Amino acid sequence: MHRLTTGFALLLGISLLLGLAPLALSAESPPDLLKTDLMVVVAHPDDEGMAAAAMARYALGEGKTVATVHATRGEGGGNEVGTQLGPALGQLREAELRAALRVMGVHHLYFLDKTDWAYTESAKATLDKWGHDDSLGRLVRLIRNLRPEVMVTFFPAPTGGQHGHHQAAGILATEAFDSAADPAAFPDQLKREGLRPWQVKRLFYVGERPGVEHVSLDVSGKAVDGRSFAEIASEAMSRHQSQGFGGFGGFRGPPRPSTFTLAKSALPPDTLSKDDLLAGLNAPGGFLATLEPETYRVPPGGIGALRLVLMNTGDKPLDFLSFHPQLPDGWGVFGFPALLGLQPGERRVLPLRLKAPASVPPGPAEIPIEIRIRAGDFNRNLEIAPRTTVKVSPLVEAEVIPLPAIVRYREWTRDQRIERFAGALPSCVPLAAGQPGTVMVQLTNRGVKERRLSVRLDLPDGWKSEPPSSTVAVPGGGRPVLSFRVTPPVDAKVADVPFTAVVSDSESKPLLTAEGVAQVTPATEVSRIAAAPKIDGDLDDWKADSEIRIPSTNVVQGQFGGNSDGSASARLAYDDRFFYVGVRVKDETVVSNIAPDDIKAHWRTDSVEITVDPQPRSEATLTTFKAGIFPWDTAGKVRAARDADANPGPIEETAPGMRLASKRTTDGYMIETAIPWSAIGAKPESGKRLGFNLLLYDGDRKDARVGDGIGEGRLAWSPRPGVWGRPEQWGEIRLK
């Protein structure tokens, strides 16, 4: 006789004492409380808004099990309903998130327990802080436990305005798609936690990407209470009141479809529905196959690599498999094993070679590669046809080397075998007006013979390149990098300026070109002064000859009704102890609604932000100085706090010695400050170049309550999307 467990014995005893009939043990399996249809992977509470209507449709409209995974609890965000910060704010935002998910019918909520440490646009800085491997392992554990059929996440490209935490969430979800199915990844989860590998069927990125399969999901359908799923999503997002979403509940009008781009799939392309994320998920006999290019670009006559992943998720063995490539004329695939079977739960990765015909011309068209696979035993036959595409590259290629974040993203897409997404970003190179900057061009010789190649930059009139051209002998397989010093004109406008790298052969005949984008940023010189200005909010005593202007057209976000509604000018100077900034702001409606004990998140209301990068063109703000200055708090005192930089917090603690003053004017206000060089982390040496930007935050709501977030627009000296989190796109100052 088996001994009763302690818990069951206790339950039986209580039942007898209360005169209740003991519960009968059921021979049926208990309901699977964790099995999930759709998993949404994001970074913060409120990020689920990107797929809220879809979540409501599946949870409330179709009775599907939906789960969300949030990397953080949002403890680094702002707070428009209270004074909580840090972990206390994270608790508030978690409560808001749970309330939002209840509205959508979502009951599964999980966290990776990472910290929302600051706003950044760097995925590298984010994953360095979070710990890449630990974060990935936590997500893989959740996937193996919840077993979602489909995952949705952020598009992970470092586009302007894309939060680095959002990029990181997309990176982790993409990598977890493969890792969760791989028994060699995080094996302790299998040995010690009783989990099994799990293959997600499809991974989608939010939004539509040109030239890639996507799903357009209708969210105009009605739930049982008569509301559309878009209306329900709007109501759900209104629960995030600490983030200023309290007014989202009044959705009206016809909802637009929600679109999702297919990133990865373990099912053949012909099973994808154009209007349903969860359609076509049944794998015949539990047999899954994925074909992906290890080499997306193959030269004529060249050899590329493919990766074929086979998985038997059924409960019966597959005794035989046969492979039948379906290729364009002249192409070949090699490396198939002679005999191969798959046991239940077994996963095999087959490295294959792809041979391109020598006669195939290079071009932008994608070449379809399909492998029909027959599998089964004496009683059944299964067939599946995974498909992928490659491109034919020329024997010689050139690339303008872009910002480090873009370089890493392109390399990552190759590692993840989704290089078709690498072209989402142009080759951007920041250059300061009137200042020399470096442009690098990489050549690749995919042939076997040495090639002598020359490169010149085709630049706009008035731009200078040193040297004008450069010649190099490139051996077969070689990838040299040529460097040019490019100087835009002093009066070059802040803009994205296209340019071309022209590659010629030994006879000076143009072979090919590579496109780049010069992101012109402003620049100015700053004078050393003998007599420091008095920090009193009055700029009349300034002797500095350095002045910058921010017109109302320098919009980063929102809209402005001319210079009187929002614009600024600033004077800059320095001495051995301080960097001086005096700002004159034009603003018809000045609002001061931040309490003395709430000096943070300056973007909520009228404020000025000063940013300084000791090493120009940093990728992340973690080594910079960033201070948001409120001209007045509700007690009438000028206040400031550092934000998302090397030492965030109130300047009384993080920049002791920083002096501030403000003064109201007939058309706005003035702010004057002296920033210690010790707080900036730089030494004031003649000729030194620093990254610098000045941002103006504006909100015109006169009836704003204390603490309300009323930010409506942002201007900047160097205006670009998300520039407050991208030091590489700040302007430059040079100390005279």
Side-chain angles (χ1 to χ4, degrees):
M1 179 177 179
H2 294 288
R3 185 170 53 190
L4 293 173
T5 63
T6 302
F8 182 74
L10 179 60
L11 177 61
L12 180 60
I14 293 173
S15 299
L16 293 174
L17 285 173
L18 296 176
L20 301 174
L23 296 173
L25 291 175
S26 173
E28 297 181 1
S29 299
D32 194 337
L33 298 178
L34 294 179
K35 181 64 181 78
T36 299
D37 297 299
L38 175 65
M39 175 184 284
V40 178
V41 180
V42 293
H44 317 101
D46 77 34
D47 287 346
E48 75 283 357
M50 68 175 190
M55 292 161 61
R57 167 179 158 167
Y58 286 117
L60 296 176
E62 301 185 19
K64 302 295 186 181
T65 300
V66 179
T68 65
V69 178
H70 299 251
T72 79
R73 287 175 170 80
E75 57 268 60
N79 184 356
E80 299 191 9
V81 297
T83 59
Q84 295 96 330
L85 289 175
L89 175 59
Q91 292 171 348
L92 171 61
R93 295 194 67 183
E94 180 180 344
E96 293 177 334
L97 173 58
R98 292 185 184 278
L101 294 178
R102 281 195 296 271
V103 174
M104 291 182 279
V106 176
H107 307 292
H108 285 8
L109 165 62
Y110 300 89
F111 293 96
L112 300 185
D113 294 323
K114 298 303 174 180
T115 302
D116 178 14
W117 46 273
Y119 183 88
T120 180
E121 297 218 349
S122 170
K124 179 181 184 301
T126 300
L127 292 172
D128 286 348
K129 283 275 192 179
W130 288 354
H132 172 276
D133 291 352
D134 182 74
S135 301
L136 180 59
R138 290 170 184 248
L139 181 55
V140 166
R141 177 182 290 110
L142 287 169
I143 292 171
R144 287 171 171 172
N145 212 5
L146 272 65
R147 290 151 291 144
E149 299 296 323
V150 169
M151 293 195 333
V152 168
T153 191
F154 286 109
F155 185 50
T159 54
Q162 169 85 307
H163 201 314
H165 298 184
H166 296 174
Q167 298 172 46
I171 288 170
L172 293 171
T174 304
E175 295 178 6
F177 181 90
D178 291 323
S179 294
D182 185 357
F186 307 101
D188 282 353
Q189 295 179 5
L190 312 181
K191 296 176 183 177
R192 300 179 180 178
E193 300 180 30
L195 297 176
R196 295 180 180 180
W198 178 258
Q199 179 62 71
V200 180
K201 304 301 191 303
R202 294 193 182 102
L203 171 71
F204 291 93
Y205 295 147
V206 171
E208 183 179 347
R209 308 292 157 190
V212 184
E213 302 97 328
H214 70 278
V215 172
S216 183
L217 193 66
D218 183 4
V219 292
S220 64
K222 307 290 185 181
V224 293
D225 63 2
R227 293 181 299 166
S228 74
F229 302 120
E231 289 175 306
I232 293 170
S234 177
E235 176 67 22
M237 296 310 295
S238 72
R239 300 299 190 265
H240 293 286
Q241 295 193 18
S242 69
Q243 304 309 296
F245 292 174
F248 273 40
F251 177 88
R252 295 292 183 271
R256 293 180 299 176
S258 297
T259 57
F260 303 89
T261 294
L262 182 65
K264 281 179 170 281
S265 178
L267 295 168
D270 56 8
T271 64
L272 179 68
S273 167
K274 295 298 183 183
D275 57 7
D276 189 349
L277 295 174
L278 301 183
L281 297 177
N282 293 327
F287 182 36
L288 299 175
T290 302
L291 182 65
E292 295 177 320
E294 296 276 11
T295 310
Y296 182 61
R297 301 174 64 81
V298 184
I303 301 292
L306 300 173
R307 180 178 186 261
L308 179 62
V309 181
L310 307 173
M311 191 168 184
N312 182 2
T313 64
D315 56 4
K316 296 180 181 179
L318 298 173
D319 294 331
F320 68 85
L321 291 93
S322 61
F323 305 94
H324 310 274
Q326 307 296 307
L327 309 169
D329 290 343
W331 290 76
V333 175
F334 310 95
F336 296 107
L339 296 173
L340 180 67
L342 282 178
Q343 295 301 310
E346 186 178 2
R347 179 178 184 267
R348 298 281 292 271
V349 179
L350 303 183
L352 304 176
R353 298 187 308 278
L354 175 69
K355 180 72 165 65
S359 59
V360 64
E366 292 191 319
I367 307 299
I369 307 295
E370 179 178 294
I371 300 176
R372 293 180 185 171
I373 308 171
R374 296 188 179 95
D377 52 33
F378 290 108
N379 298 315
R380 60 188 180 133
N381 287 292
L382 308 175
E383 184 170 315
I384 193 170
R387 188 185 311 155
T388 190
T389 59
V390 297
K391 286 188 175 183
V392 180
S393 66
L395 289 175
V396 175
E397 289 188 288
E399 178 185 27
V400 176
I401 297 180
L403 292 162
I406 300 177
V407 171
R408 275 196 305 276
Y409 169 72
R410 290 177 177 175
E411 292 173 348
W412 176 82
T413 63
R414 286 192 285 271
D415 292 342
Q416 296 301 310
R417 298 167 298 281
I418 53 171
E419 198 174 347
R420 64 188 182 280
F421 291 110
L425 299 173
S427 292
C428 297
V429 182
L431 296 171
Q435 302 292 324
T438 301
V439 172
M440 294 182 290
V441 179
Q442 183 165 46
L443 300 173
T444 299
N445 182 1
R446 299 186 184 275
V448 295
K449 296 181 180 180
E450 181 179 277
R451 303 287 297 267
R452 189 167 183 81
L453 302 171
S454 296
V455 179
R456 64 175 177 83
L457 300 182
D458 188 359
L459 300 166
D461 291 342
W463 291 52
K464 297 179 180 179
S465 171
E466 183 59 40
S469 65
S470 183
T471 302
V472 63
V474 186
R479 301 189 71 200
V481 174
L482 306 182
S483 184
F484 300 84
R485 295 290 282 174
V486 175
T487 306
V490 174
D491 59 354
K493 295 182 178 180
V494 176
D496 287 353
V497 179
F499 67 92
T500 303
V502 181
V503 182
S504 302
D505 61 14
S506 57
E507 299 179 354
S508 299
K509 294 181 180 178
L511 287 178
L512 70 153
T513 60
E515 306 304 317
V517 176
Q519 296 184 317
V520 181
T521 63
T524 192
E525 293 185 325
V526 179
S527 299
R528 178 189 290 270
I529 55 176
K534 185 178 180 180
I535 306 301
D536 58 1
D538 191 338
L539 306 185
D540 291 341
D541 61 333
W542 276 66
K543 305 300 181 184
D545 58 3
S546 301
E547 185 174 48
I548 62 175
R549 295 188 178 277
I550 306 175
S552 61
T553 53
N554 278 27
V555 177
V556 176
Q557 185 174 304
Q559 295 180 338
F560 289 80
N563 286 337
S564 60
D565 184 36
S567 61
S569 61
R571 297 178 181 179
L572 312 176
Y574 81 100
D575 60 23
D576 287 337
R577 295 182 59 201
F578 294 99
F579 176 49
Y580 300 98
V581 181
V583 187
R584 186 185 301 271
V585 176
K586 288 187 176 182
D587 185 357
E588 294 171 327
T589 305
V590 180
V591 180
S592 300
N593 67 319
I594 303 302
D597 62 349
D598 191 26
I599 304 304
K600 62 181 185 295
H602 56 276
W603 56 87
R604 291 177 292 166
T605 189
D606 287 351
S607 62
V608 167
E609 183 177 23
I610 296 169
T611 70
V612 186
D613 185 1
Q615 301 294 329
R617 309 304 181 196
S618 295
E619 180 180 334
T621 60
L622 296 177
T623 57
T624 70
F625 174 92
K626 295 175 74 245
I629 304 173
F630 301 94
W632 298 275
D633 61 18
T634 54
K637 184 178 180 181
V638 60
R639 300 292 301 279
R642 296 178 66 172
D643 174 71
D645 67 355
N647 190 20
I651 63 165
E652 293 83 1
E653 302 170 8
T654 60
M658 180 175 172
R659 306 204 308 270
L660 291 167
S662 63
K663 182 179 180 180
R664 195 176 295 274
T665 63
T666 57
D667 57 0
Y669 60 92
M670 292 188 289
I671 285 178
E672 197 172 15
T673 182
I675 307 171
W677 285 109
S678 58
I680 294 173
K683 294 182 179 180
E685 301 169 342
S686 178
K688 185 175 183 62
R689 293 167 67 174
L690 302 162
F692 176 80
N693 208 0
L694 184 68
L695 295 96
L696 175 65
Y697 297 80
D698 182 55
D700 292 338
R701 221 172 74 203
K702 295 180 180 180
D703 61 347
R705 298 173 301 177
V706 174
D708 274 356
I710 63 167
E712 298 171 341
R714 304 181 184 189
L715 302 173
W717 182 48
S718 183
R720 293 186 184 279
V723 72
W724 53 91
R726 288 179 173 258
E728 57 206 3
Q729 294 180 337
W730 295 353
E732 281 193 15
I733 57 175
R734 179 179 176 275
L735 304 184
K736 293 171 65 175

